[in-house]
Structures are given as structure tokens and as C-alpha cells.
Amino acid sequence: MNKNLKAVLLAAGLGLAHFTAGAQTAWPAKPIRIIVPFPAGGPTDITARVLGQAIGESLKTPVIVENKAGGHGFIGVGEAAKAPADGYTLMMASIGTMAINPRLHEKIPYDANKDFAPVSLVVTVPIVVVANPRVLPVATLPELVERLKANPGKINFASAGNGGSSHLVPEYFKYRTGTFMTHIPYKGSGPAIGDVVAGQVQLMFDTLLTSTPFVKSGKLRMLGVTTAQRLPQYPDVPTVAEALNMKDFEASSWYALYAPAGTPPDIVKRLSAEVDAALKQPAVAKRLTDLGAIPAGGTPEKLAAFQRMEQDKWGKVIQLAHVKPD
């Protein structure tokens, strides 16, 4: 074969190989999955599905939400930490998994600050004190405190699981008010709020995201909010701080998107931009705000700094309230 012809064929072959490799590495080239370390129907799951649909439409690729519940979120978070760092596995995590668990448990199967690449803070969610009026006939927070003091240990509160905000905030409430109520942990917010609505448990410090439908239907009564300011949607509901004269009492839940550590920075940056763009879509923003969430967004660096601040904050609460893992 002529040497020149051989050189042309070799160059063509190398060019084809380069084109093929480039096509294979173009992102996204296949469906993306978002691991949710809690059951379907809870606030982390709802947030992931709303965001996932918007991102999938923008990226023109399917985004599949997979619920990997159990073990205080350890199962799902552990799986996400070990997933290939290629941009095709993400995780929608919560304040509990990324800020509280690292300070509450001596040993957890992941490092919240090293095993993940922060993508973006997605939403913050007010926490509200809700009670079933059929089994706990109180109308205000002072009435709740009075009843708790008169019946120590006889009133139960539900949580989405040990170590989450729905567990830690009421523990802090108990410490600050000098009261006692029994913790009933569930495997997710959905089952927990379901039993409060059914009257199996009297109350819950729940995210507005999951309790809103039941408050609007009258099945649950909102006694107060743990945010610093009253909520625009419920202007007549006082904050815990004002109702009980505790000026520094403030807490909100939050949900954020992560990728496994080592995910290419350009993919992380693209995902962060996609989150920002999705949260600015009127339909997405309305869907989240109607559910009681506040769209956030922001850079990976902003989420990393926020996460460490939250770890310090809840670490102090755990110490002050002497919270122990169940």
C-alpha cells in the first residue's frame, strides 16, 4: 500500500476514534438518577421530583428519582457516596443527613464534607408545630407547654427519623421550655405525618412542605412556626420566639443537591446553573412555594460554606439539649 495512502487512512482512523470517544463522553448521554435517602412522599422526595423534572426537560434527558430509605438516611447517602463520579448519580440530601448526623452520631458510613461535591442549595423549608386537634385540644403554644408540664411523658411527637430536623428541633424545644414529650421516630416524613393525621401521635414539628395539605384541610392545627419571622401564608400564626418569649429560637429545614466527590467540576458547575435556572421558572417556583418551600439556589461554594455553618449550629444544639441517638 502506498505510504501516503496508509498515512491518510491512519489519520482518518484516529479522527474517527477521537470523534467516537468524544461522543461517548458528552454529558449527559444517558439518564441521570437522583438518590433520595428517605421514603417517597416526604419533603426530600417531593423536592427531588419537582427539581428533577425541570432539570430533565432542560437537559433533554430522563431524571429518575430513586428512594433508598433506612438507617437514618445512612443507606441512601452511603450508596450515593460510592457511586461513580461521572455526573449520572446525584443525591438530594437534607439538613439531617448533611448537618445533623455528622454531629449526632459518633460513627456514620460517610463523610458529609469529603465524600460529596456540593452542587446547590435547592430550598429552605420552615418548620411548623402541628397538632391533631382531636387528640390534643390545644390552640396555642403556651397551652401546649402548660399541657406538657402537666402531663410529662404522656404526649408523643412524631419525627421523620432519628437525627433529622423533625427530631432535633423538638428536642431543643423541650430543653428551652423545661418540658418532656416522648419521641416516636418513623422512616420518613410521609409515614410520620400520616400517623399524626390519624391520631396515633399527637403532634409533630414538621416541615411546611408535608404538613401544608393537612393544615389547609383542617385535619391538623398549626400552633407556631420556628422561623425568625411569621410566614406570609399564615400571618396569624406566631413564631415560637414571640409566643414563648424566646428571642433566639429559630430553625429551618433545607434540602440540597450533591454529586459524589470527584465529579468533574464542569459538570458540577453545569448542574448548579441548571438548578438556578429551574428554580427561576415560574411554574417550578410556584409549585415549591405552594408546598411551603422557599427556593434558594446558589453556587457549590456557597452550599459548602452553609453546610459547615449548619453543622456548627446543630452541634451546639445537640450539646445544649443533651440529644442522644435513639
Side-chain angles (χ1 to χ4, degrees):
M1 184 182 290
N2 183 288
K3 287 185 178 180
N4 290 335
L5 178 59
K6 192 180 289 187
V8 169
L9 291 173
L10 178 61
L14 290 172
L16 178 61
H18 177 74
F19 173 80
T20 303
Q24 289 175 342
T25 56
W27 181 91
K30 61 181 182 179
I32 296 170
R33 67 171 179 153
I34 300 178
I35 292 176
V36 173
F38 300 103
T44 321
D45 176 71
I46 294 171
T47 303
R49 292 181 188 278
V50 173
L51 182 69
Q53 181 179 350
I55 289 178
E57 291 172 356
S58 176
L59 294 174
K60 296 180 172 56
T61 194
V63 175
I64 302 162
V65 174
E66 293 186 9
N67 299 92
K68 302 284 184 177
H72 315 303
F74 293 168
I75 294 174
V77 179
E79 180 173 327
K82 296 175 183 176
D86 56 7
Y88 292 103
T89 298
L90 307 175
M91 176 182 68
M92 185 67 72
S94 68
I95 179 179
T97 53
M98 306 306 281
I100 296 174
N101 278 352
R103 298 301 180 93
L104 180 62
H105 299 272
E106 290 187 8
K107 293 183 180 180
I108 61 175
Y110 61 91
D111 188 315
N113 298 324
K114 294 181 180 179
D115 290 344
F116 297 95
V119 175
S120 185
L121 181 65
V122 179
V123 293
T124 59
V125 185
I127 295 171
V128 294
V129 187
V130 290
N132 185 319
R134 292 188 295 108
V135 294
L136 185 60
V138 296
T140 66
L141 286 172
E143 286 181 21
L144 173 62
V145 171
E146 182 180 351
R147 184 164 291 235
L148 288 172
K149 289 184 175 180
N151 302 276
K154 293 182 180 180
I155 294 174
N156 302 330
F157 74 91
S159 82
N162 189 59
S165 59
S166 59
H167 171 210
L168 211 58
V169 174
E171 292 288 354
Y172 186 50
F173 180 88
K174 286 162 54 177
Y175 166 75
R176 292 295 302 272
T177 57
T179 57
F180 180 77
M181 48 187 170
T182 303
H183 177 211
I184 309 295
Y186 288 79
K187 294 181 178 179
S189 292
I193 198 67
D195 264 11
V196 178
V197 172
Q200 301 299 317
V201 185
Q202 291 101 321
L203 78 159
M204 185 173 177
F205 285 62
D206 188 29
T207 61
L208 191 59
L209 199 64
T210 47
S211 61
T212 289
F214 305 109
V215 171
K216 288 184 176 180
S217 68
K219 293 179 180 179
L220 296 179
R221 176 179 292 153
M222 190 185 301
L223 305 179
V225 300
T226 66
T227 47
Q229 306 294 330
R230 293 192 182 198
L231 303 178
Q233 310 96 306
Y234 301 96
D236 296 330
V237 179
T239 66
V240 173
E242 63 180 317
L244 299 177
N245 195 28
M246 296 188 296
K247 295 181 180 179
D248 58 345
F249 195 107
E250 186 276 328
S252 291
S253 189
W254 52 266
Y255 306 98
L257 193 67
Y258 296 82
T263 299
D266 59 328
I267 293 180
V268 173
K269 186 176 180 180
R270 173 74 183 280
L271 282 166
S272 182
E274 291 290 342
V275 172
D276 271 350
L279 294 176
K280 290 175 183 176
Q281 293 179 24
V284 174
K286 185 177 187 305
R287 169 69 173 149
L288 292 171
T289 53
D290 283 350
L291 290 168
I294 302 171
T299 64
E301 293 78 15
K302 183 178 178 181
L303 173 56
F306 174 75
Q307 177 172 299
R308 289 185 181 275
M309 286 175 56
E310 285 286 280
Q311 288 171 353
D312 290 342
K313 172 182 177 177
W314 291 106
K316 291 177 181 176
V317 170
I318 289 167
Q319 288 182 325
L320 284 171
H322 304 288
V323 178
K324 301 294 182 183
D326 287 348

